[in-house]
Amino acid sequence: MKSNETMIEVNHLSHLYVDENGNDVRALDDVSLTIRRGEFVAIIGTNGSGKSTLAKHFNVLLQPTAGNVTVCGFDTLNDEHIWNIRQHVGMVFQNPDNQIVAAVVEEDVAFGPENLGVPSAEIRKRVDDALAAVNMTEYAEHGPHLLSGGQKQRIAIAGVLAMKPDCIVLDEPTAMLDPKGRLEVLETIHRLNKEEGITIVIITHFMEEAVTADRVVVMKNGVKLQEGTPREIFTQVDTLKDLGLDVPVAAEVASKLIQKGVDIPNDIITNDELGDALTTYYAKEAH
């Protein structure tokens, strides 16, 4: 469902803040970026690279010091548009416990639409639809405190979904989860992207998550270093390592094997691709 329609346009964005010692810190430095409707974009970078600061500009938690950000045609510097922008772009954060406000799951999911003034019959439908979309219908009447981390994060996503956004920005949504919870959340956001056409922007330090995106943006010290498809980015194993970033295990193993003279393709980034390449290689060697 990707289109050429622009969802978020970032033009020469810089963001300065003053640290506890009174020094100016440039968290973002002349960043330009376009995110199209229906796209799935991963933003990666080490701590302090500016990736979370960038994400907070997408639903006006922050406003530019210089440059501008336009969301669905609304300029984030115009305070009259903040409400509109936040209805288009929902945010999901690292710690689901900080986002869950009610004692019962379905009440939590209803919280956003209630604040938007949605009629109660429509709220009921939105809550049901949102819980179904994240595969949590059977937990509607549970207390959130009884859920696993991955389930809580899916409820947090459902709470955003109930507000019917066109775009969901997820800031390290799986950082506090175990591998099972991470997989649950990743499968959920891919399904929302593919089936509902929701634009997804994920800030992550798990490269296995970034590999599944349409496009990867690499940040370093507040600057956008590069962007491209996962294959374009993750085959640059040495470059990413030099930046202090992990690379997908499959890409790293393939790179080392190629250096040792093993004849496999030089653009492997997933475990399946590595498995297929090695199977082919050993079949050839056996002959």
Side-chain angles (χ1 to χ4, degrees), residues 69-105:
V69 179
T70 313
V71 179
C72 296
F74 298 111
D75 186 337
T76 64
L77 281 168
N78 184 335
D79 290 345
E80 288 174 14
H81 292 158
I82 291 176
W83 184 239
N84 280 325
I85 290 169
R86 288 189 181 155
Q87 287 182 277
H88 285 286
V89 179
M91 286 282 289
V92 175
F93 297 97
Q94 191 176 76
N95 187 344
D97 288 331
N98 293 345
Q99 294 187 82
I100 291 175
V101 291
V104 179
V105 162

Side-chain angles (χ1 to χ4, degrees), residues 7-11 13-15 53-86 89:
M7 179 99 211
I8 299 170
E9 185 75 57
V10 181
N11 279 312
L13 166 66
S14 293
H15 188 85
T53 307
L54 179 60
K56 287 177 179 147
H57 281 268
F58 297 162
N59 89 330
V60 216
L61 290 175
L62 294 174
Q63 288 173 302
T65 308
N68 68 301
V69 179
T70 313
V71 179
C72 296
F74 298 111
D75 186 337
T76 64
L77 281 168
N78 184 335
D79 290 345
E80 288 174 14
H81 292 158
I82 291 176
W83 184 239
N84 280 325
I85 290 169
R86 288 189 181 155
V89 179

Side-chain angles (χ1 to χ4, degrees), residues 2-18:
K2 285 181 282 299
S3 74
N4 290 325
E5 191 185 337
T6 298
M7 179 99 211
I8 299 170
E9 185 75 57
V10 181
N11 279 312
H12 301 291
L13 166 66
S14 293
H15 188 85
L16 277 75
Y17 66 92
V18 179

